[in-house]
Amino acid sequence: MKLYSSIVAFIVAIILSSCSSANKNDSFYVRGNCEMCKQRIETTVLSVKGVSKADWNVDSKELSVSYDSTQTNSLLIHEAVANVGHGTRLVPMNQEAHDNLHECCKLAKKE
């Protein structure tokens, strides 16, 4: 019986360790200006299947994201952000979506 319990514990440990290895943390630049941008960016990223955390810093323009790499990947997250009008260094913003943003969220002329 003790051997059986040890085997079950070992199998559970392997399963749990393989699940945690699918979790990834990433951070990257996302163009934006204000708290409305922050809400839009974070809400969009959290709607991507597999994303568990999204935090965009207004000052640094850095998005920190945690996700399950078996369900999504970094490129899909970049694309989701770009599709709502916020470009990244990897994927340019969707111009039509950007044009429909609130004035303070739009790209400044000097950028």
Side-chain angles (χ1 to χ4, degrees), residues 21-90:
S21 66
N23 292 331
K24 291 192 109 180
N25 295 309
D26 199 1
S27 62
F28 53 89
Y29 170 85
V30 176
R31 203 227 40 87
N33 297 327
C34 64
E35 290 295 323
M36 284 190 292
C37 295
K38 177 179 175 66
Q39 183 178 6
R40 183 181 309 103
I41 291 164
E42 291 175 357
T43 300
T44 298
V45 172
L46 287 168
S47 73
V48 175
K49 183 177 180 178
V51 173
S52 58
K53 177 187 139 302
D55 181 41
W56 183 73
N57 184 291
V58 175
D59 297 322
S60 69
K61 316 294 188 214
E62 193 80 10
L63 174 68
S64 297
V65 61
S66 299
Y67 61 94
D68 181 340
S69 63
T70 65
Q71 295 183 4
T72 192
N73 60 56
S74 185
L75 180 59
L76 290 175
I77 296 168
H78 281 260
E79 289 172 345
V81 170
N83 285 337
V84 295
H86 294 279
T88 72
R89 290 195 171 105
L90 187 60

